[in-house]
Amino acid sequence: MKIKFASANPATGSLAVPVFENSTLSDAAKAVDKTAGGAIARAIKASRFSGKAGETLEIYAPSGMEAGRIVAFGIGAKAKLNGSVLERAGAALVKSLLTGGESDLAVVLTTVADAEGAARFGLGCRMAAYRFDGYRTTLDASKKPSLKTVTLVVDDEKAGKSAWKSWGAVADGVDLARDLVNEPPNVLTPPAYAKKVQGLEDTGLEIEVLGEKEIKKLGMAALLGVGQGSVLESQLVVMKWNGGKKGDAPLCFVGKGVCFDSGGISLKPGAGMDEMKGDMGGSAAVVGLMRALAGRKAKVNVVGIIGLVENMPDGNAQRPGDIVTSMSGQTIEILNTDAEGRLVLADALWYAQKEYDPKFIIDLATLTGAILIALGHEHAGIFSNDDAIADGLTKAGLASDEKVWRLPVGPEYDRQIDSPIADMKNIGEGRLAGSITAAQFLQRHVNGKPWCHIDIAGTGMWSGSKDPRLPTFGTGYGVRLLDRFVRDNYES
């Protein structure tokens, strides 16, 4: 769907106007209502629409107007209006009209939102318009999206277009991350995924792909061990965006890319295993972030690294009881082959700090079911050795509506992953502090660098959200969070 900006109402299509809570018409809504002979006020009086954020009310064939319909949409209390509210309002509006037969919608935001707020409204529209229908060949025409263009009518058209360049790039990054998570695992294999990322070079990103031969030379036996049961070759992909000053240390983001996780020899139950196509959600967030940063020409140097593997049971698969040596030189006793994501990240994290000496490393992974028990779908868990990073992510989460909650790491948890026959084991003690011990394991592979781990098992894949911005399954979580973190803290 295309987002456009204008300084006057188009003559055709549907027209949407904002209404504050308690059915208080905005100035934009008052002007349209006057032209429509009071149709908006009458419709509101005859309905239960009250202007709460997320509410919509359609008025068909209003007299005195070219528009085929007027849609009143709620934006809540005037004093509480912000970017997040505007995003949700835009999403709710588009969600209500997406398959309704109209192709063009104009939204009158004059006097209600400045250029930045209008761009956030547009981001909400784009997020709500997302669909993953490429494999549906018999979908009825009435269920296909009809809405093609949303024109945002603003006070300053030029400023609106300028703001949209930035937020439109974020929308592109979110869409890409969602597509990656939703792709079936027979299509998005590790080699195919790497090739897809290489296609982003035309955005200005520098892409390097390492195959198993190069990975083996680096000593990444932990990562390779996860993929050794698959006929598909494991990959390590490095993305670079050089938008900052030459010589400035980069920011580094690392993503878990298990393209399908059967559990390996420690096989998962069959029910729900299909969702393990999304076990590469951390890597998708990193790719989407890099796409967004390149698209908006972010003034910062960033490196994104993703480890791509497939975890399968096979005659050559890694076994419980194996011991592998990670790139760091530390040995790992494998007690459960379904605790595989931390093995992939261990080598990717060590490679990141050794090769690029970044300012910090943030990793994202759909790592543990335990984080769902702790936080549900509403927050991602963060674990960090650096208070400034954790605080920055918390603030960015509130600003972007991709919330995080900090949990502890510390030496008192080490005993759970200490092994009697190796340097560490890849699981802790039963069900106790499962997300924390996983993070504690990762911390052993960052070599003291400022670091944060984000467990997105509950937020990266979610089919039951009531947020109109979120689709079924792949949410694209992490792109908005990290983009906000970067723009608020590391760009001048």
Side-chain angles (χ1 to χ4, degrees):
M1 188 182 71
K2 188 174 182 180
I3 303 294
K4 298 170 65 176
F5 286 80
S7 56
N9 299 353
T12 58
S14 294
L15 192 64
V17 293
V19 178
F20 294 108
E21 69 178 1
N22 299 320
S23 304
T24 304
L25 298 185
S26 64
D27 289 344
K30 289 177 182 177
V32 174
D33 191 42
K34 184 177 181 180
T35 303
I40 299 175
R42 289 195 300 273
I44 290 176
K45 189 176 181 179
S47 70
R48 290 187 173 182
F49 177 88
S50 66
K52 290 180 181 178
E55 288 184 334
T56 59
L57 175 66
E58 295 185 47
I59 304 159
Y60 290 92
S63 62
M65 298 193 68
E66 294 292 331
R69 77 182 98 183
I70 297 172
V71 186
F73 64 93
I75 53 175
K78 193 171 186 177
K80 295 181 179 179
L81 187 63
N82 58 25
S84 177
V85 172
L86 288 165
E87 265 187 30
R88 287 177 178 268
L93 177 62
V94 165
K95 192 75 84 176
S96 70
L97 297 174
L98 190 61
T99 60
E102 184 63 82
S103 61
D104 297 292
L105 171 69
V107 185
V108 188
L109 295 176
T110 51
T111 73
V112 170
D114 60 11
E116 190 76 2
R120 291 287 297 274
F121 188 95
L123 175 60
C125 292
R126 277 282 304 273
M127 291 182 71
Y130 176 83
R131 296 276 292 254
F132 191 75
D133 290 339
Y135 296 96
R136 306 182 73 175
T137 63
T138 59
L139 187 64
D140 189 270
S142 65
K143 295 180 180 179
K144 293 179 180 180
S146 59
L147 191 60
K148 305 298 182 184
T149 303
V150 173
T151 300
L152 305 181
V153 182
V154 294
D155 296 307
D156 189 333
E157 181 180 346
K158 184 178 179 180
K161 289 178 178 178
S162 178
W164 180 244
K165 287 180 181 179
S166 175
W167 291 104
V170 175
D172 291 339
V174 172
D175 281 355
L176 175 57
R178 289 173 171 180
D179 280 346
L180 291 170
V181 174
N182 287 325
E183 281 287 358
N186 61 319
V187 173
L188 198 74
T189 62
Y193 192 167
K195 188 173 182 180
K196 192 175 186 71
V197 175
Q198 283 181 309
L200 295 176
E201 287 181 327
D202 60 3
T203 67
L205 292 172
E206 295 179 15
I207 312 293
E208 181 183 9
V209 177
L210 307 180
E212 287 192 354
K213 185 177 179 180
E214 294 92 342
I215 295 171
K216 189 173 183 179
K217 283 183 180 179
L218 290 167
M220 294 186 174
L223 184 153
L224 288 173
V226 177
Q228 73 185 41
S230 173
V231 297
L232 299 165
E233 186 173 331
S234 299
Q235 313 274 288
L236 187 79
V237 182
V238 180
M239 298 158 279
K240 299 177 188 175
W241 171 251
N242 300 312
K245 294 180 181 178
K246 188 174 181 180
D248 278 0
L251 317 181
C252 189
F253 299 94
V254 177
K256 169 189 169 183
V258 180
C259 296
F260 184 75
D261 181 21
S262 70
I265 297 297
S266 305
L267 193 67
K268 291 179 180 292
M273 194 193 289
D274 58 293
E275 294 188 352
M276 288 301 97
K277 69 177 184 178
D279 207 21
M280 35 59 68
S283 68
V286 173
V287 175
L289 171 67
M290 298 302 290
R291 172 68 180 84
L293 295 177
R296 67 178 183 81
K297 303 293 187 288
K299 294 178 174 62
V300 65
N301 298 329
V302 184
V303 175
I305 299 172
I306 56 174
L308 307 180
V309 301
E310 185 178 60
N311 186 23
M312 298 291 282
D314 178 80
N316 192 46
Q318 185 165 255
R319 297 159 289 259
D322 285 0
I323 293 179
V324 297
T325 303
S326 68
M327 186 182 177
S328 70
Q330 300 174 95
T331 56
I332 305 167
E333 180 186 12
I334 309 301
L335 295 186
N336 189 319
T337 64
D338 195 24
E340 84 300 328
R342 65 202 69 182
L343 301 175
V344 174
L345 288 173
D347 280 341
L349 288 167
W350 192 265
Y351 177 82
Q353 63 83 27
K354 184 175 185 293
E355 190 73 18
Y356 296 103
D357 191 22
K359 289 181 182 178
F360 63 73
I361 306 172
I362 294 176
D363 75 77
L364 299 92
T366 50
L367 204 64
T368 66
I371 204 66
L372 276 157
I373 304 303
L375 299 176
H377 291 287
E378 284 68 31
H379 290 76
I382 62 172
F383 310 77
S384 184
N385 62 7
D386 187 282
D387 291 342
I389 295 174
D391 290 346
L393 284 170
T394 299
K395 291 175 182 176
L398 292 171
S400 65
D401 275 352
E402 292 196 330
K403 297 176 184 178
V404 301
W405 192 266
R406 190 177 185 182
L407 291 108
V409 287
E412 59 271 23
Y413 293 101
D414 276 329
R415 63 175 182 81
Q416 286 204 45
I417 57 172
D418 286 336
S419 166
I421 59 172
D423 294 327
M424 68 194 81
K425 53 189 179 183
N426 76 325
I427 56 172
E429 298 174 357
R431 295 172 60 85
L432 300 179
S435 297
I436 297 172
T437 54
Q440 195 72 21
F441 178 97
L442 296 178
Q443 188 174 211
R444 294 191 182 192
H445 297 86
V446 297
N447 203 22
K449 270 287 177 187
W451 154 84
C452 185
H453 160 59
I454 309 179
D455 193 332
I456 64 170
T459 53
M461 298 177 283
W462 189 6
S463 297
S465 175
K466 301 302 182 184
D467 188 329
R469 292 170 293 185
L470 299 185
T472 297
F473 199 62
T475 64
Y477 181 95
V479 176
R480 290 184 295 149
L481 168 69
L482 296 179
D483 175 79
R484 191 62 183 249
F485 176 71
V486 171
R487 71 168 72 203
D488 285 354
N489 296 283
Y490 296 96
E491 293 183 76
S492 58

